[in-house]
Amino acid sequence: MAASSRVLVYGGKGALGSVCVKYFKERSWWVGSIDLVPNEEADANVVVQPCESWQEQTDAVLKGVESCLRGEKVDAILCVAGGWAGGSAGSKDFIKNSDMMWKQSVWTSSIAARLSSLHLKDGGLLTLPGALPALDGTAGMIGYGMAKAAIHQLTKSLGQPNGGLPEGAAAIAILPVTLDTPMNRKWMKDADFSTWTSLEFVAELFYSWTQGKDRPASGTLLKLNTSDSITKCTPAD
Protein backbone atom coordinates (compact mmCIF):
# COMPACT_ATOMS: atom_id res chain seq x y z
CA MET A 1 0.00 0.00 0.00
CA ALA A 2 1.35 3.42 -0.93
CA ALA A 3 2.56 5.65 1.87
CA SER A 4 -0.11 8.19 0.89
CA SER A 5 -2.71 6.07 2.70
CA ARG A 6 -3.57 7.62 6.06
CA VAL A 7 -5.34 6.46 9.20
CA LEU A 8 -6.16 8.06 12.55
CA VAL A 9 -6.35 5.72 15.55
CA TYR A 10 -8.37 7.21 18.41
CA GLY A 11 -7.10 5.42 21.51
CA GLY A 12 -3.83 4.68 19.74
CA LYS A 13 -1.85 3.87 22.87
CA GLY A 14 -4.33 1.38 24.34
CA ALA A 15 -4.07 -2.37 23.86
CA LEU A 16 -6.11 -2.58 20.64
CA GLY A 17 -5.00 0.85 19.46
CA SER A 18 -1.31 -0.05 19.74
CA VAL A 19 -1.87 -3.20 17.69
CA CYS A 20 -3.73 -1.18 15.04
CA VAL A 21 -0.96 1.43 14.88
CA LYS A 22 1.67 -1.28 14.43
CA TYR A 23 -0.40 -3.22 11.88
CA PHE A 24 -0.97 -0.23 9.61
CA LYS A 25 2.58 1.07 9.98
CA GLU A 26 3.88 -2.33 8.84
CA ARG A 27 1.86 -1.80 5.65
CA SER A 28 3.45 1.59 4.98
CA TRP A 29 0.52 3.72 6.06
CA TRP A 30 0.86 7.15 7.63
CA VAL A 31 -0.62 6.69 11.12
CA GLY A 32 -1.80 9.36 13.54
CA SER A 33 -2.59 8.48 17.16
CA ILE A 34 -5.02 10.29 19.46
CA ASP A 35 -4.73 9.37 23.14
CA LEU A 36 -3.84 10.57 26.63
CA VAL A 37 -0.19 9.66 25.97
CA PRO A 38 1.82 9.45 22.74
CA ASN A 39 2.39 6.28 20.76
CA GLU A 40 6.04 6.34 19.71
CA GLU A 41 5.36 4.19 16.63
CA ALA A 42 2.88 6.68 15.17
CA ASP A 43 3.87 9.33 12.63
CA ALA A 44 1.98 11.99 14.57
CA ASN A 45 0.36 12.23 17.98
CA VAL A 46 -2.51 14.28 19.34
CA VAL A 47 -2.21 14.13 23.13
CA VAL A 48 -5.58 14.64 24.80
CA GLN A 49 -5.82 16.43 28.13
CA PRO A 50 -8.64 15.33 30.46
CA CYS A 51 -11.49 17.87 30.36
CA GLU A 52 -14.73 18.36 32.25
CA SER A 53 -16.35 19.80 29.12
CA TRP A 54 -17.21 17.62 26.14
CA GLN A 55 -17.03 20.64 23.82
CA GLU A 56 -13.67 21.70 25.25
CA GLN A 57 -12.19 18.27 24.60
CA THR A 58 -13.69 18.21 21.11
CA ASP A 59 -12.19 21.59 20.25
CA ALA A 60 -8.75 20.49 21.50
CA VAL A 61 -8.78 17.25 19.49
CA LEU A 62 -10.01 18.99 16.34
CA LYS A 63 -7.24 21.57 16.63
CA GLY A 64 -4.60 18.90 17.16
CA VAL A 65 -5.76 16.80 14.22
CA GLU A 66 -5.94 19.80 11.91
CA SER A 67 -2.34 20.63 12.81
CA CYS A 68 -1.20 17.06 12.07
CA LEU A 69 -3.05 16.59 8.81
CA ARG A 70 -2.35 20.03 7.29
CA GLY A 71 -5.27 19.78 4.93
CA GLU A 72 -4.81 16.11 4.01
CA LYS A 73 -7.75 13.70 4.18
CA VAL A 74 -7.54 10.25 5.77
CA ASP A 75 -8.71 6.88 4.47
CA ALA A 76 -9.88 5.63 7.86
CA ILE A 77 -10.55 6.69 11.42
CA LEU A 78 -10.44 3.80 13.88
CA CYS A 79 -11.97 4.68 17.23
CA VAL A 80 -10.88 2.02 19.70
CA ALA A 81 -10.93 4.18 22.83
CA GLY A 82 -12.90 3.07 25.88
CA GLY A 83 -12.74 1.25 29.16
CA TRP A 84 -14.74 -0.87 31.55
CA ALA A 85 -16.37 -0.34 34.94
CA GLY A 86 -18.95 -2.46 36.70
CA GLY A 87 -21.83 -1.68 39.00
CA SER A 88 -25.62 -1.73 39.24
CA ALA A 89 -27.84 1.18 40.28
CA GLY A 90 -27.32 -0.03 43.85
CA SER A 91 -23.56 0.50 43.74
CA LYS A 92 -22.17 3.52 45.56
CA ASP A 93 -19.98 4.31 42.53
CA PHE A 94 -22.82 3.90 40.01
CA ILE A 95 -22.92 7.55 38.87
CA LYS A 96 -19.16 8.01 39.11
CA ASN A 97 -18.52 4.94 36.95
CA SER A 98 -21.27 5.82 34.50
CA ASP A 99 -19.77 9.28 34.05
CA MET A 100 -16.35 7.73 33.43
CA MET A 101 -17.79 5.29 30.87
CA TRP A 102 -19.54 8.13 29.06
CA LYS A 103 -16.34 10.16 28.83
CA GLN A 104 -14.17 7.22 27.78
CA SER A 105 -16.56 5.81 25.18
CA VAL A 106 -19.29 8.23 24.10
CA TRP A 107 -17.16 11.36 24.09
CA THR A 108 -14.43 9.68 22.07
CA SER A 109 -16.78 8.04 19.58
CA SER A 110 -18.69 11.27 19.05
CA ILE A 111 -15.47 13.21 18.51
CA ALA A 112 -14.34 10.51 16.06
CA ALA A 113 -17.61 10.98 14.18
CA ARG A 114 -17.03 14.73 14.03
CA LEU A 115 -13.48 14.16 12.80
CA SER A 116 -14.85 11.87 10.11
CA SER A 117 -17.24 14.52 8.85
CA LEU A 118 -14.30 16.90 8.45
CA HIS A 119 -11.29 14.80 7.50
CA LEU A 120 -12.41 11.44 6.08
CA LYS A 121 -12.11 10.84 2.34
CA ASP A 122 -15.17 10.02 0.27
CA GLY A 123 -15.64 6.26 0.58
CA GLY A 124 -13.59 6.18 3.78
CA LEU A 125 -14.04 4.09 6.91
CA LEU A 126 -15.02 4.95 10.48
CA THR A 127 -15.01 2.15 13.04
CA LEU A 128 -16.57 2.50 16.48
CA PRO A 129 -16.27 0.32 19.62
CA GLY A 130 -19.58 -1.29 20.48
CA ALA A 131 -20.11 -4.35 22.68
CA LEU A 132 -22.24 -7.43 22.17
CA PRO A 133 -23.53 -7.57 25.78
CA ALA A 134 -25.01 -4.07 25.35
CA LEU A 135 -27.57 -5.42 22.90
CA ASP A 136 -29.36 -6.61 26.04
CA GLY A 137 -29.53 -5.51 29.67
CA THR A 138 -26.23 -5.22 31.55
CA ALA A 139 -27.35 -5.15 35.19
CA GLY A 140 -23.88 -5.76 36.61
CA MET A 141 -22.28 -3.02 34.52
CA ILE A 142 -25.01 -0.51 33.76
CA GLY A 143 -22.76 2.47 33.04
CA TYR A 144 -20.74 0.43 30.56
CA GLY A 145 -23.89 -0.90 28.89
CA MET A 146 -25.44 2.56 28.56
CA ALA A 147 -22.30 3.95 26.94
CA LYS A 148 -21.97 1.09 24.47
CA ALA A 149 -25.67 1.24 23.60
CA ALA A 150 -25.19 4.93 22.82
CA ILE A 151 -22.36 4.02 20.43
CA HIS A 152 -24.66 1.51 18.73
CA GLN A 153 -27.22 4.26 18.23
CA LEU A 154 -24.55 6.66 16.96
CA THR A 155 -23.39 4.08 14.42
CA LYS A 156 -26.90 3.52 13.09
CA SER A 157 -27.49 7.27 12.81
CA LEU A 158 -24.21 7.83 10.96
CA GLY A 159 -25.22 5.08 8.56
CA GLN A 160 -28.26 7.02 7.41
CA PRO A 161 -27.96 9.20 4.28
CA ASN A 162 -28.12 12.45 6.24
CA GLY A 163 -25.81 11.25 9.04
CA GLY A 164 -23.06 13.71 8.11
CA LEU A 165 -20.33 11.41 6.80
CA PRO A 166 -18.61 12.04 3.45
CA GLU A 167 -20.05 10.51 0.30
CA GLY A 168 -19.74 6.73 0.29
CA ALA A 169 -18.08 6.57 3.71
CA ALA A 170 -19.06 3.80 6.13
CA ALA A 171 -19.51 3.81 9.91
CA ILE A 172 -19.28 0.30 11.38
CA ALA A 173 -19.32 -0.73 15.04
CA ILE A 174 -17.65 -3.94 16.17
CA LEU A 175 -19.43 -5.79 18.97
CA PRO A 176 -17.03 -8.20 20.69
CA VAL A 177 -17.75 -9.98 23.95
CA THR A 178 -14.22 -9.90 25.36
CA LEU A 179 -11.04 -8.72 23.67
CA ASP A 180 -7.85 -10.61 24.44
CA THR A 181 -5.94 -7.77 26.11
CA PRO A 182 -3.14 -8.01 28.71
CA MET A 183 -5.36 -6.24 31.26
CA ASN A 184 -8.24 -8.67 30.73
CA ARG A 185 -5.87 -11.59 31.17
CA LYS A 186 -4.55 -10.04 34.36
CA TRP A 187 -7.99 -9.65 35.94
CA MET A 188 -9.61 -12.79 34.53
CA LYS A 189 -6.85 -15.38 34.85
CA ASP A 190 -9.22 -18.35 34.99
CA ALA A 191 -11.28 -17.42 31.93
CA ASP A 192 -11.43 -19.45 28.74
CA PHE A 193 -9.16 -17.39 26.50
CA SER A 194 -10.25 -19.37 23.43
CA THR A 195 -13.54 -17.42 23.56
CA TRP A 196 -11.76 -14.06 23.50
CA THR A 197 -11.26 -12.11 20.27
CA SER A 198 -7.62 -11.46 19.39
CA LEU A 199 -6.47 -7.89 18.84
CA GLU A 200 -4.63 -8.92 15.67
CA PHE A 201 -7.87 -10.29 14.22
CA VAL A 202 -9.56 -6.93 14.76
CA ALA A 203 -6.67 -4.98 13.23
CA GLU A 204 -6.67 -7.30 10.20
CA LEU A 205 -10.45 -6.91 9.89
CA PHE A 206 -10.16 -3.11 9.89
CA TYR A 207 -7.42 -3.24 7.28
CA SER A 208 -9.44 -5.52 5.01
CA TRP A 209 -12.30 -3.04 5.13
CA THR A 210 -9.98 -0.23 4.02
CA GLN A 211 -9.20 -2.41 1.01
CA GLY A 212 -12.90 -2.82 0.23
CA LYS A 213 -12.90 -6.51 1.19
CA ASP A 214 -16.19 -7.73 2.72
CA ARG A 215 -16.90 -4.31 4.19
CA PRO A 216 -20.35 -4.24 5.81
CA ALA A 217 -22.86 -1.56 4.96
CA SER A 218 -22.63 1.73 6.80
CA GLY A 219 -24.54 1.64 10.06
CA THR A 220 -23.85 -2.06 10.67
CA LEU A 221 -23.40 -3.38 14.19
CA LEU A 222 -21.10 -6.36 13.65
CA LYS A 223 -21.07 -9.09 16.29
CA LEU A 224 -17.71 -10.78 16.89
CA ASN A 225 -18.30 -14.24 18.31
CA THR A 226 -15.18 -16.22 19.18
CA SER A 227 -15.10 -19.94 19.93
CA ASP A 228 -12.06 -22.24 19.93
CA SER A 229 -10.02 -19.15 18.99
CA ILE A 230 -11.97 -18.73 15.76
CA THR A 231 -13.96 -15.51 15.33
CA LYS A 232 -17.10 -15.27 13.22
CA CYS A 233 -18.57 -11.92 12.20
CA THR A 234 -22.34 -11.55 11.89
CA PRO A 235 -24.48 -8.43 11.70
CA ALA A 236 -26.75 -7.80 14.68
CA ASP A 237 -30.47 -8.06 13.97
Side-chain angles (χ1 to χ4, degrees), residues 155-233:
T155 303
K156 290 182 177 181
S157 294
L158 291 170
Q160 294 181 327
N162 58 347
L165 292 184
E167 184 72 24
I172 304 164
I174 59 166
L175 277 59
V177 177
T178 305
L179 292 175
D180 192 355
T181 66
M183 192 61 68
N184 283 340
R185 287 199 175 225
K186 177 181 177 181
W187 294 112
M188 294 183 277
K189 296 178 181 179
D190 297 327
D192 180 1
F193 300 148
S194 71
T195 65
W196 292 8
T197 303
S198 80
L199 304 183
E200 290 74 16
F201 174 88
V202 177
E204 183 178 0
L205 186 66
F206 290 163
Y207 180 77
S208 70
W209 291 344
T210 68
Q211 305 305 295
K213 181 181 178 182
D214 299 325
R215 189 172 88 172
S218 188
T220 296
L221 306 181
L222 193 70
K223 297 188 293 184
L224 306 184
N225 285 294
T226 303
S227 179
D228 296 329
S229 299
I230 298 173
T231 300
K232 295 183 179 179
C233 304

Side-chain angles (χ1 to χ4, degrees), residues 93-114:
D93 291 330
F94 170 55
I95 300 301
K96 175 184 175 182
N97 285 347
S98 295
D99 179 63
M100 179 173 65
M101 291 297 91
W102 207 259
K103 288 176 178 176
Q104 290 182 351
S105 293
V106 181
W107 282 23
T108 52
S109 290
S110 300
I111 296 171
R114 180 62 180 146

Side-chain angles (χ1 to χ4, degrees), residues 17-174:
S18 294
V19 170
C20 289
V21 169
K22 180 179 176 63
Y23 192 95
F24 279 80
K25 281 294 295 178
E26 288 175 344
R27 284 148 185 81
S28 301
W29 282 51
W30 180 96
V31 180
S33 173
I34 307 169
D35 211 325
L36 298 172
V37 292
N39 184 317
E40 299 78 6
E41 292 191 68
D43 295 286
N45 282 278
V46 175
V47 179
V48 182
Q49 301 299 324
C51 301
E52 287 304 313
S53 164
W54 194 347
Q55 185 64 57
E56 181 183 352
Q57 187 160 106
T58 301
D59 292 342
V61 172
L62 292 181
K63 182 178 180 181
V65 169
E66 287 169 2
S67 177
C68 289
L69 293 180
R70 300 179 181 179
E72 296 282 347
K73 297 286 187 178
V74 299
D75 300 85
I77 296 178
L78 313 177
C79 183
V80 291
W84 183 89
S88 69
S91 305
K92 64 180 180 65
D93 291 330
F94 170 55
I95 300 301
K96 175 184 175 182
N97 285 347
S98 295
D99 179 63
M100 179 173 65
M101 291 297 91
W102 207 259
K103 288 176 178 176
Q104 290 182 351
S105 293
V106 181
W107 282 23
T108 52
S109 290
S110 300
I111 296 171
R114 180 62 180 146
L115 286 172
S116 297
S117 74
L118 297 169
H119 300 294
L120 196 60
K121 292 180 181 178
D122 288 351
L125 171 70
L126 168 65
T127 69
L128 296 171
L132 200 152
L135 292 175
D136 296 306
T138 55
M141 48 181 184
I142 293 180
Y144 175 85
M146 285 195 298
K148 292 299 186 179
I151 293 173
H152 297 172
Q153 203 283 336
L154 171 63
T155 303
K156 290 182 177 181
S157 294
L158 291 170
Q160 294 181 327
N162 58 347
L165 292 184
E167 184 72 24
I172 304 164
I174 59 166

